[in-house]
Amino acid sequence: MSNNYFRNLALLGLQLKPKNTTIVLLIAYAFCLFATYITLIYPGKSYISTWLNDVIGFIDIANRVSLGELPYKDFHFGYGPLVALIPGLALLWSGNAGIIFAANGLIVSSILLFSALIILPRRLTTFASLLIFLFAWLLIAIPMGNMQSFSDITWGAFYNRQGWAALIIIFVFYIEPVNTGAWSKRLDSVALALLLLFELGNKLPFAVVAFGFVLINSTISRYNRHISLLSLLLVTLTVVAEEVFLGLAAPYFHNVLAVSKSLKGGRLGLWDFITILIDNAPIILASLGAVMAVRAVGRRSIFDWLYTTGVIASV
């Protein structure tokens, strides 16, 4: 798949320049972290206009963590441990409840964007890499809900936006890098394992989609199979080590199952389904447009259509 992909790029007059792209993304990395700090953390306060209950609830959870309590052991919690631990550490560090979610965004941005910095330059052009990089940063750091009005400013459901950002970066692993040597495999395996661990520590539904993608992606090519299996091994070893030393893994899964059973959900009607399609029309149209574009330059692969279908279904 890799050779055909780069040949199609050449037909479009495009060429991968990993070193140049890395330099551009390093500058963007520094800019994103600085902009997050100077605009959202340095003022020392935040403004929200909606989802106040979600924000207040997570401020309470952050306060509990800052006092030494742990999720699943000292209180019930239906999300991953990072959703509680990172804001709690931010509150402990700053002592200011007004900036804990902004600080959380800064920490998560530094982790996920660093992974993107490793992955993107060896797979995409500079422009495409920068678009994904900046879009992921906006999802992580900006206090605005998905598909919400520009006036709906809130830190509520920050875990969903961060989960989407990580998924977007993970989906790029469908494309093989320009160099498929041993060093490239190690880099990609570690980066993918880091992203999978984040999704696992963030919210279980995102983790299910991410792990499902990695398993399916392992059937695409030998390179993808190597990095997928090695990353899953690294994730398994990390989870086992975490359970041995902190004992949070087993209570996490038990607690999430208990909370999910207590929730009552209704059936998804036709209008609900249509509403979902309308709300996510930009992502769906962009995905279909991308697969049609690569088909127009001569690429014929059933995997592209399956990949696009999977991305749309994960929405």
Side-chain angles (χ1 to χ4, degrees), residues 42-199:
Y42 181 74
K45 54 186 177 181
S46 295
Y47 169 81
I48 60 173
S49 62
T50 186
W51 295 359
L52 182 61
N53 56 336
D54 199 57
V55 173
I56 295 299
F58 277 98
I59 289 177
D60 176 64
I61 289 171
N63 183 58
R64 285 169 172 256
V65 172
S66 69
L67 294 175
E69 295 186 15
L70 290 175
Y72 323 119
K73 290 188 174 183
D74 299 308
F75 57 90
H76 289 291
F77 195 55
Y79 302 92
L82 296 180
V83 179
L85 295 178
I86 296 179
L89 292 175
L91 180 59
L92 189 63
W93 163 67
S94 66
N96 183 355
I99 65 169
I100 59 173
F101 298 109
N104 171 73
L106 180 66
I107 295 170
V108 174
S109 293
S110 65
I111 297 171
L112 297 188
L113 294 184
F114 182 76
S115 298
L117 186 60
I118 295 173
I119 298 162
L120 297 177
R122 293 176 293 117
R123 288 173 165 84
L124 301 172
T125 62
T126 301
F127 181 70
S129 298
L130 191 60
L131 280 181
I132 294 175
F133 194 88
L134 293 178
F135 183 61
W137 169 62
L138 291 174
L139 279 176
I140 298 167
I142 302 304
M144 184 180 296
N146 299 354
M147 301 300 177
Q148 299 296 316
S149 168
F150 286 106
S151 61
D152 291 338
I153 307 300
T154 184
W155 291 108
F158 63 91
Y159 39 84
N160 286 337
R161 299 190 293 275
Q162 294 173 358
W164 267 114
L167 269 185
I168 289 171
I169 301 171
I170 289 172
F171 286 159
V172 176
F173 279 98
Y174 174 68
I175 304 170
E176 292 181 20
V178 64
N179 181 1
T180 57
W183 179 245
S184 184
K185 288 179 183 178
R186 295 190 190 100
L187 274 178
D188 282 341
S189 299
V190 172
L192 181 54
L194 183 64
L195 291 166
L196 290 175
L197 285 168
F198 176 81
E199 292 289 46

Side-chain angles (χ1 to χ4, degrees), residues 20-44:
N20 293 350
T21 303
T22 300
I23 293 172
V24 171
L25 292 190
L26 277 171
I27 296 172
Y29 184 76
F31 167 79
C32 291
L33 297 186
F34 177 75
T36 302
Y37 176 80
I38 205 69
T39 60
L40 299 174
I41 298 177
Y42 181 74

